[in-house]
Amino acid sequence: MKWWVGPARLRRLGILGMNCRNLDFIGRYNPRRLYPLVDDKLKTKILAEREGIPVPKLHFALREQFRVKRIGEMLRPLAGFAVKPAKGSGGRGILVIQGQENGAYVKTSGRRLDLGDIKRHISNILAGLYSLAGTPDVAIVEELIELDPQFAGFSHEGIPDIRVVVFRGYPVMAMLRLATHESDGKANLHQGAVGVGLDIATGRCLMAVQHSLPLKVHPDTGADFSRIRVPDWPEILTLAARCHEMTNLGYLGADIVLDRRRGPLILELNARPGLAIQVASDHGLLARLRRLESLGNTHATVAQRVEFAMASFGRDLGGRKGFSEY
Amino acid sequence: MRSRLFFYIIVLVLIVAGCAIAWQRHLQTQLPLLPGVQAPIWLVEARVDFTARGEPVTVNLDIPDDPPGFYLLDEQTASPGYGFFILTENGNRRGEWSIRQADGPQTLYYKIQLVPIPLAATSRGELPVAPAATSVHWEEAEVVAARQLLAVARERSSNPESMTRELIKLLAASEPEQNAALLLSATPLVPLLEKLLNYSQLPTRIVNGLYLEDGRRNQQLTPKLEVFVGDRWLLFDPRTAHQGVPENFLLWNQDRRSLLDLSGGHNSQIRFAMLSQNLPAAQLASLTAADSPFALFGVHSLPVEEQAMLKMLLLLPAGALVLVFMRIMVGVQTSGTFMPILIALAFLQTTLLPGLISFVSIVAFGLLLRGYLSGLNLLLVARIATIVIIVIFIIVFSSLFGYRLGFNTGMTVNFFPIIIIAWTIERMSILWEDEGPGEVLVQGGGSLLVAVLAYLLMQWSVMAHLSFYFPEINLIIVALIMLMGNYTGYKLTELHRFRAVDQQGAP
């Protein structure tokens, strides 16, 4: 494999670059005043619950340092839970505890933490270590997502999530992010998770990449990616598209998990979704985004938009077309 | 689209303004566009020796006023015990030394620094009042000879200048004709010429000047003739009839007045010594162009302390340019947006290699201690404060250690912004825990790479010179940064990042 691609070729493939994303899409379609809605997971969660969009249940949120002392009591009734910084980014500062065994907290990787580790982690969150600007933060403790059995074997020590890029309310591109041992149970591609591009029309696997390189089977479990077909696909796309109405962000990334009992849930939203999804989908975003830009306000409802996206951006429907061919 | 047009107009205006102002400043103040340009200056020393008689002494020396072809940079005297004052009279300056009592041999010095400038640029102030020719007295026999001589000269000439030249040729010939020989036997050449020209109603005076040659001592003034033609004085060489001020010729004494008046002493003698020196042209320009409007808004007109600080500040945009380029066009990751510039500024103080070594070692050592701190379970702010203090200890220790070992490089580390180092350590350590040592190397290496590049640009002498003497250069930098802020193309690193896309898509 070559070590680089020429810029002309990238442009022909319609690959969206970081600078172009920041200027032409984030800068133009995402007003800054809306950022706090998605940069603060607690705010997103409250907003989503008000709109009737399903999210993982919040156990409690911690704002003050002195309450960290009593965290042991608060955690006692919970079997598994996830601790997150409300303003964290890129999956940093997320601690997932599978269960408790005689006072020890077991991570998904099987590592055992004691109460002191949990306390330190939470107090780091409160001090703003993981927050974007280093400002004081809130620690969120929410329910543990239970792995949908359909994904058993595809994700190692972590829950897979589905990233859907939504532009002007249309789901544009989607990928499934699978945790690996290397990514330590996290679903962030730059940490070593596997990205599986999904066909917008069907929810089937297009291809899979890890560290920007294609692969066929999961590096830890050996599961064959080509078998993947995400269930409840239209429902997932609808959920993602509704986030546009909820936040008014023109260009956003919705992270969706499939819970065994509750079905698709919005995990978090992102006003600056990354570009790796293009590599995982083996397709550039730019062509689809430009097409939607030229569309005007044709589709009023979420259902219409999802239908349009599924009809237009599917793999078998000319989805491989380069930008210049539109 | 209209706003885009407006944007490009702004960028264009900034670039044009930056270039135009810099060019105007260059023209007006003679500031060189490149560093290291040297300009020659002359140091001329007049030495007056005389023997005092034990009475009050007054020495009155004619000094250069506004010599054509030179800018008078500085003058000073060395004369122990004497009072010195410069008298100005009708635009003619004379230096006067005085002392109540002096006895025996005395030596007085008058030193002057001169910058050669193009003759055309010499301002001669207001036009002199047209002088009258002085009346001349001849001996009986001389009158005829003078008249005949002047008649010949007039015959061969068309105007006062050519007449003067012809007259000089007649008199300065190696074998002068009869009339000329007669006149020369009574009066020396130069006073004779003055006399003859005044006799023919051309106002003429004898001036004295100095041929400047590097390293000459015990020089005497050379007399020249000045003839008033039209509205100004024209200089003639009384031997070659050459018209105009010769190169490296300093007119010292112009106003028909004696060169040296002495009362209270005798045996007076004046000798000149001269030396050519080189001064950085930039320094010179800041001295000579002090009254130009550009000098008012030039950083170099400030006190030295403020200059040093502003010098740093004015270099920052260059560093920012490198940073913006590396982040937007190349796509290098740095830890902390502007940290690389601060590191680069510190490198400017420490120079590159010692700075790099001490920075890396401090951060590495700090990371080691930070690893221990994380076990103590401290709150974030307190932990960073602790790291700050540890960093201070490391710096103090390495300074002392370096000093004991006999090199000063240990001292240089205290130029690093301590808080920045502490935050770097903290961020790196979190990065290490979260994303592994690889990411630490990527971001730390990226920061250092940008810092080194920014440093290389900022310490480049041309950049330092331009940003300091031509601050308007920064307008161009702003324009470039704005242009890059508008770049929607791919970053260099993205060409690698998206390489997988090409594989299957290839036809």
Side-chain angles (χ1 to χ4, degrees):
Chain A
M1 172 181 254
K2 275 202 315 190
W3 270 93
W4 59 283
V5 210
R9 171 119 194 97
L10 279 185
R11 202 168 303 122
R12 214 157 58 75
L13 290 167
I15 298 290
L16 180 66
M18 178 90 71
N19 293 323
C20 185
R21 179 200 72 174
N22 291 346
L23 268 181
D24 285 355
F25 295 99
I26 294 182
R28 197 171 296 165
Y29 292 97
N30 290 356
R32 273 222 81 91
R33 66 189 159 77
L34 298 177
Y35 281 25
L37 288 184
V38 291
D39 285 346
D40 188 331
K41 291 194 184 77
L42 197 56
K43 279 188 186 160
T44 315
K45 199 183 277 291
I46 292 166
L47 188 66
E49 278 174 346
R50 200 191 306 150
E51 299 274 325
I53 290 176
V55 288
K57 207 181 116 216
L58 176 72
H59 288 312
F60 54 88
L62 235 69
R63 288 168 199 282
E64 300 89 3
Q65 193 69 49
F66 69 86
R67 287 180 61 201
V68 175
K69 257 185 283 181
R70 296 183 47 240
I71 189 77
E73 291 169 40
M74 299 164 80
L75 291 176
R76 196 161 300 141
L78 310 174
F81 57 88
V83 183
K84 297 177 178 178
K87 295 178 195 158
S89 69
R92 298 201 308 138
I94 295 179
L95 179 67
V96 180
I97 298 297
Q98 198 95 45
Q100 307 186 24
E101 277 174 33
N102 353 318
Y105 298 86
V106 187
K107 277 176 74 172
T108 36
S109 60
R111 232 184 99 203
R112 288 159 169 270
L113 303 178
D114 60 20
L115 189 58
D117 294 324
I118 305 277
K119 280 183 180 170
R120 186 170 69 245
H121 187 79
I122 293 179
S123 92
N124 273 347
I125 291 178
L126 296 188
L129 189 56
Y130 305 105
S131 77
L132 280 174
T135 49
D137 203 354
V138 178
I140 299 174
V141 179
E142 61 182 24
E143 71 173 338
L144 190 69
I145 309 293
E146 286 181 49
L147 185 66
D148 190 304
Q150 298 205 44
F151 290 120
F154 284 117
S155 196
H156 184 77
E157 299 166 355
I159 303 291
D161 73 2
I162 297 160
R163 157 66 59 89
V164 183
V165 172
V166 179
F167 180 56
R168 300 183 68 209
Y170 297 86
V172 179
M173 203 172 269
M175 75 171 159
L176 181 65
R177 303 188 297 180
L178 304 171
T180 60
H181 179 70
E182 190 187 340
S183 76
D184 191 25
K186 291 179 180 124
N188 289 88
L189 294 205
H190 71 274
Q191 288 169 332
V194 173
V196 180
L198 298 174
D199 188 350
I200 281 282
T202 58
R204 281 180 202 273
C205 163
L206 292 173
M207 67 175 291
V209 292
Q210 186 186 26
H211 290 305
S212 298
L213 299 176
L215 73 173
K216 296 259 180 261
V217 296
H218 194 284
D220 302 316
T221 64
D224 182 5
F225 292 129
S226 62
R227 289 194 293 115
I228 289 179
R229 179 172 188 179
V230 178
D232 307 326
W233 187 239
E235 198 186 326
I236 287 173
L237 292 185
T238 308
L239 194 58
R242 282 175 69 193
C243 295
H244 168 63
E245 260 89 8
M246 178 176 111
T247 58
N248 281 322
L249 287 169
Y251 183 74
L252 66 91
D255 291 349
I256 296 170
V257 283
L258 289 176
D259 187 66
R260 190 170 58 148
R261 293 164 294 122
R262 298 182 56 201
L265 307 175
I266 292 286
L267 199 59
E268 63 176 289
L269 298 178
N270 200 323
R272 315 163 191 81
L275 303 166
I277 194 169
Q278 301 177 102
V279 182
S281 305
D282 190 26
H283 198 283
L285 269 169
L286 201 54
R288 297 183 183 180
L289 298 179
R290 295 290 186 216
R291 184 167 172 201
L292 290 175
E293 267 188 323
S294 64
L295 210 55
N297 297 318
T298 347
H299 307 99
T301 67
V302 174
Q304 280 173 336
R305 293 199 304 257
V306 170
E307 196 182 328
F308 174 83
M310 289 177 76
S312 310
F313 300 140
R315 163 56 60 96
D316 305 325
L317 296 158
R320 257 231 69 92
K321 273 185 195 168
F323 176 45
S324 56
E325 293 164 75
Y326 275 106
Chain B
M1 235 44 257
R2 197 159 152 253
S3 65
R4 281 293 87 168
L5 184 69
F6 188 59
F7 169 79
Y8 285 115
I9 289 175
I10 289 182
V11 167
L12 196 72
V13 165
L14 282 175
I15 290 180
V16 169
C19 293
I21 297 175
W23 185 247
Q24 271 307 312
R25 187 190 289 277
H26 170 63
L27 289 183
Q28 301 253 327
T29 65
Q30 301 293 316
L31 269 171
L33 286 170
L34 291 174
V37 176
Q38 299 273 317
I41 62 163
W42 287 99
L43 286 177
V44 182
E45 180 187 273
R47 172 183 168 153
V48 179
D49 290 293
F50 62 94
T51 313
R53 283 195 293 255
E55 303 166 8
V57 174
T58 307
V59 180
N60 191 297
L61 175 72
D62 193 20
I63 54 178
D65 309 324
D66 190 4
F70 292 95
Y71 177 84
L72 211 152
L73 191 61
D74 188 28
E75 55 188 343
Q76 50 188 308
T77 61
S79 37
Y82 282 80
F84 181 77
F85 192 73
I86 292 179
L87 308 161
T88 309
E89 202 181 296
N90 294 335
N92 179 36
R93 303 184 321 140
R94 295 183 75 87
E96 187 167 280
W97 286 268
S98 49
I99 196 167
R100 180 58 64 186
Q101 200 199 353
D103 208 359
Q106 305 282 315
T107 304
L108 305 174
Y109 291 98
Y110 168 79
K111 292 177 190 168
I112 187 168
Q113 283 185 9
L114 296 151
V115 186
I117 48 173
L119 262 176
T122 313
S123 70
R124 305 233 51 189
E126 71 271 27
L127 294 174
V129 190
T134 46
S135 60
V136 179
H137 172 74
W138 297 103
E139 298 292 323
E140 193 91 17
E142 290 174 333
V143 181
V144 183
R147 281 194 182 148
Q148 286 182 356
L149 206 59
L150 285 170
V152 174
R154 189 170 291 122
E155 190 73 17
R156 295 180 186 172
S157 62
S158 57
N159 54 17
E161 293 101 305
S162 52
M163 157 127 184
T164 308
R165 284 198 296 271
E166 287 309 319
L167 195 62
I168 292 172
K169 269 190 222 160
L170 286 173
L171 284 169
S174 51
E175 281 178 39
E177 57 144 297
Q178 209 181 347
N179 284 326
L182 174 76
L183 291 169
L184 280 169
S185 65
T187 325
L189 173 66
V190 183
L192 176 64
L193 277 168
E194 186 202 13
K195 216 169 164 182
L196 279 167
L197 287 166
N198 274 315
Y199 186 60
S200 66
Q201 294 308 308
L202 283 175
T204 305
R205 65 186 184 187
I206 299 175
V207 296
N208 292 297
L210 209 52
Y211 277 102
L212 299 178
E213 274 180 88
D214 191 17
R216 301 297 288 269
R217 310 181 61 80
N218 291 330
Q219 297 298 294
Q220 295 295 329
L221 293 180
T222 309
K224 301 266 179 186
L225 276 181
E226 268 193 335
V227 182
F228 195 85
V229 179
D231 57 358
R232 59 211 163 102
W233 290 100
L234 296 178
L235 190 79
F236 290 91
D237 189 305
R239 287 178 209 286
T240 64
H242 178 84
Q243 188 187 335
V245 183
E247 206 180 329
N248 285 342
F249 185 75
L250 169 66
L251 271 177
W252 189 280
N253 164 264
Q254 275 179 301
D255 272 0
R256 282 185 183 172
R257 296 272 306 269
S258 60
L259 175 65
L260 182 68
D261 298 330
L262 169 66
S263 72
H266 57 98
N267 276 342
S268 71
Q269 191 188 20
I270 177 161
R271 284 171 296 168
F272 296 87
M274 59 211 82
L275 202 63
S276 168
Q277 275 190 338
N278 278 320
L279 213 63
Q283 189 187 338
L284 196 61
S286 59
L287 292 170
T288 53
D291 43 358
S292 145
F294 281 104
L296 274 178
F297 296 99
V299 179
H300 49 266
S301 57
L302 291 173
V304 178
E305 263 176 72
E306 277 79 2
Q307 275 188 31
M309 197 204 49
L310 284 180
K311 200 168 195 161
M312 280 286 199
L313 279 186
L314 287 170
L315 267 179
L316 263 176
L321 181 71
V322 172
L323 182 97
V324 170
F325 178 81
M326 291 305 279
R327 282 182 67 114
I328 292 184
M329 312 293 279
V330 180
V332 171
Q333 290 190 49
T334 61
S335 84
T337 316
F338 283 97
M339 190 186 86
I341 300 187
L342 296 172
I343 299 178
L345 277 185
F347 282 165
L348 278 183
Q349 308 277 341
T350 61
T351 71
L352 189 56
L353 205 61
L356 212 55
I357 292 172
S358 42
F359 181 79
V360 170
S361 49
I362 290 176
V363 170
F365 197 57
L367 269 177
L368 223 68
L369 290 176
R370 164 68 178 72
Y372 173 69
L373 272 183
S374 73
L376 290 182
N377 204 8
L378 298 176
L379 293 179
L380 177 72
V381 181
R383 192 167 62 221
I384 291 179
T386 314
I387 296 174
V388 167
I389 295 167
I390 288 177
V391 168
I392 291 174
F393 273 123
I394 299 175
I395 286 172
V396 169
F397 181 76
S398 63
S399 298
L400 288 176
F401 190 67
Y403 183 73
R404 291 278 169 240
L405 283 185
F407 33 70
N408 271 338
T409 47
M411 296 293 196
T412 58
V413 290
N414 40 32
F415 289 112
F416 285 110
I418 288 164
I419 307 294
I420 294 290
I421 291 190
W423 263 109
T424 306
I425 292 172
E426 179 64 21
R427 291 240 178 239
M428 292 286 174
S429 127
I430 295 297
L431 208 60
W432 193 300
E433 279 176 22
D434 279 10
E435 326 232 333
E439 195 65 16
V440 172
L441 278 184
V442 167
Q443 290 201 8
S447 300
L448 278 184
L449 176 72
V450 174
V452 168
L453 289 178
Y455 161 80
L456 288 178
L457 181 65
M458 291 199 287
Q459 65 93 56
W460 185 36
S461 55
V462 175
M463 191 67 232
H465 174 84
L466 285 178
S467 74
F468 183 63
Y469 289 104
F470 299 93
E472 52 276 3
I473 287 294
N474 286 330
L475 292 179
I476 303 174
I477 292 185
V478 169
L480 291 179
I481 288 177
M482 283 168 68
L483 271 183
M484 279 197 275
N486 204 23
Y487 173 73
T488 58
Y490 301 107
K491 299 178 182 190
L492 205 57
T493 48
E494 283 176 341
L495 300 184
H496 172 68
R497 183 183 171 190
F498 292 125
R499 67 194 183 281
V501 178
D502 196 32
Q503 208 187 25
Q504 299 187 354

